[in-house]
């Protein structure tokens, strides 16, 4: 595997999260390439996801999200769009692959971009909200991307291999919407794509989503999500850090506060020592570190309990 599991938490029902890195996917180019996904339960029927993707290296960073691969669906974004081209490589001569072992050609560019087709483009100034809706269904998903000034957004469609069921003749007929957010700059470019994904049935349930940065060099991201009578605050750092913001004092990797009428209903802290908010304090013993020096295996004849 080219990936590395950094965190995994499945035992705390209100907040479950996983984080991994894969700098080896771009050897010699990516200094940071890591993503955290945090599932926050709202009630028995609803939950939302915090999605933080940190990357450093290269001069162009693309963050993509596609709609349903199983059903007809549509995608919309809340910024003005203009026609961009037939694919994401306008003006480039493309030879599409002829089989699994053939990568194709695109005048030195990545030919995979040519599969992103019927493209419109817009510019982000004060954040972006995109919505996927499944046709003839109350099911949809709304994604909030606060900030990202100066980024480009592309909306188009791509082949849905799942719906084609390995029948190549159907690939041009079964499509799914896809959205791509792009940041460009001087190498080594540093980006942080921070999103909230809100799947729903019948209609969205989050009333408001905000994002701010805190800590040294803005290392921490602080999400605020309001739903019903509750306000959630989720703090995430790439590595243990200290963040202070609006009555909040946090030392750790991940923190969670759910409050109603100014009182905390739940608090959580991972990879740290302290979380303070509005006069309430949660403490932990920090991170334990150890080195694995050996393993035992029952199948190899070792005396172990299974």
């Amino acid at each position: 595997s080219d990936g590395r599991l950094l965190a995994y938490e499945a035992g705390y029902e209100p907040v479950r999260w996983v984080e991994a890195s894969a700098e080896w996917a771009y050897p010699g180019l990516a200094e940071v390439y890591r993503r955290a996904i945090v599932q926050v339960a709202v009630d028995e029927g609803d939950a939302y996801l915090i999605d933080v993707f940190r990357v450093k290296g290269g001069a162009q960073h693309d963050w993509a999200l596609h709609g349903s691969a199983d059903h007809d669906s549509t995608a919309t974004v809340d910024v003005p769009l203009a026609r961009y081209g037939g694919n994401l490589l306008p003006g480039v001569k493309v030879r599409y692959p002829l089989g699994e072992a053939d990568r194709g050609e695109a005048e030195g560019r990545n030919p995979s971009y040519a599969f992103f087709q019927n493209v419109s483009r817009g510019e982000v100034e004060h954040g972006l909200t995109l919505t996927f809706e499944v046709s003839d269904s109350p099911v949809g998903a709304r994604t909030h991307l606060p900030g990202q000034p100066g980024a480009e957004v592309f909306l188009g469609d791509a082949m849905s291999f799942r719906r084609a069921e390995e029948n190549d003749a159907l690939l041009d007929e079964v499509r799914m919407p896809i959205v791509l957010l792009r940041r460009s700059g001087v190498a080594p470019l540093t980006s942080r794509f921070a999103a909230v994904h809100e799947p729903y049935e019948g209609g969205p349930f989050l009333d408001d989503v905000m994002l701010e940065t805190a800590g040294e060099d803005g290392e921490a991201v602080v999400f605020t999500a309001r739903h019903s009578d509750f306000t959630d605050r989720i703090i995430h750092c790439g590595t243990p850090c200290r963040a202070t913001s609006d009555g909040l004092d946090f030392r750790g990797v991940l923190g969670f506060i759910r409050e109603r009428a100014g009182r905390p209903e739940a608090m959580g802290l991972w990879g740290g020592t302290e979380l303070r908010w509005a006069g309430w304090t949660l403490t932990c013993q920090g991170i334990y570190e150890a080195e694995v020096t050996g393993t035992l295996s029952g199948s190899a004849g070792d005396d172990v309990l299974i």
Side-chain angles (χ1 to χ4, degrees):
S1 172
D2 288 336
R4 184 170 52 136
L5 184 65
L6 302 176
Y8 181 79
E9 166 65 86
Y12 181 57
E13 187 173 343
V15 177
R16 293 167 174 160
W17 69 297
V18 62
E19 186 167 3
S21 66
E23 286 79 10
W24 302 278
Y26 296 92
L29 183 63
E31 300 178 38
V32 176
Y33 195 77
R34 58 191 293 167
R35 194 168 193 171
I37 302 290
V38 183
Q39 177 184 289
V40 183
V42 172
D43 53 37
E44 291 185 358
D46 289 319
Y48 61 91
L49 299 176
I50 300 294
D51 179 354
V52 183
F53 176 43
R54 291 178 167 88
V55 57
K56 179 179 180 180
Q60 177 179 299
H61 297 160
D62 291 343
W63 185 94
L65 198 65
H66 66 74
S68 175
D70 298 298
H71 307 281
D72 288 336
S73 60
T74 60
T76 56
V77 299
D78 64 349
V79 298
L81 299 175
R83 175 70 175 172
Y84 183 73
N87 58 45
L88 266 180
L89 297 174
V92 176
K93 184 178 179 181
V94 177
R95 182 185 66 79
Y96 288 92
L98 300 176
E100 292 184 9
D102 181 10
R103 189 170 182 269
E105 298 286 345
E107 298 180 357
R109 306 286 296 278
N110 187 342
S112 298
Y113 284 117
F115 289 102
F116 191 133
Q117 299 177 351
N118 305 309
V119 184
S120 298
R121 175 191 174 277
E123 296 182 356
V124 180
E125 294 184 9
H126 306 292
L128 173 72
T129 300
L130 59 100
T131 304
F132 292 101
E133 294 184 325
V134 177
S135 303
D136 301 319
S137 169
V139 173
R142 185 170 63 168
T143 293
H144 310 261
L145 280 153
Q148 304 298 333
E152 300 174 277
V153 59
F154 299 89
L155 173 63
D157 56 57
M159 298 177 292
S160 176
F161 290 91
R162 188 181 303 169
R163 295 176 69 191
E165 297 180 344
E166 299 187 8
N167 185 346
D168 290 352
L170 295 178
L171 286 175
D172 287 333
E173 301 177 17
V174 286
R175 315 287 293 179
M176 61 182 181
I178 186 167
V179 176
L180 184 144
L181 192 67
R182 172 173 291 172
R183 296 190 70 252
S184 303
V186 178
L189 180 64
T190 298
S191 294
R192 181 180 55 223
F193 298 96
V196 176
H197 305 295
E198 178 190 3
Y200 61 81
E201 182 175 8
F205 56 87
L206 291 181
D207 299 319
D208 188 26
V209 173
M210 295 183 293
L211 173 71
E212 61 179 314
T213 58
E216 293 185 13
D217 301 323
E219 170 66 13
V221 288
V222 183
F223 294 89
T224 301
R226 295 187 173 91
H227 50 90
S228 187
D229 296 329
F230 298 94
T231 298
D232 295 345
R233 290 176 177 83
I234 301 94
I235 312 102
H236 182 268
C237 293
T239 57
C241 73
R242 181 182 183 187
T244 57
S245 172
D246 191 24
L248 170 72
D249 194 345
F250 166 78
R251 294 172 176 84
V253 174
L254 183 72
F256 170 69
I257 303 165
R258 171 164 291 164
E259 59 100 349
R260 177 168 57 178
R263 291 179 60 86
E265 297 272 334
M267 296 175 69
L269 171 62
W270 296 266
T273 57
E274 191 172 72
L275 173 62
R276 293 185 181 184
W277 181 79
W280 297 80
T281 301
L282 182 66
T283 59
C284 291
Q285 295 180 341
I287 297 176
Y288 291 98
E289 295 185 357
E291 180 181 352
V292 177
T293 60
T295 61
L296 301 175
S297 171
S299 61
D302 294 326
D303 185 14
V304 296
L305 296 176
I306 299 177

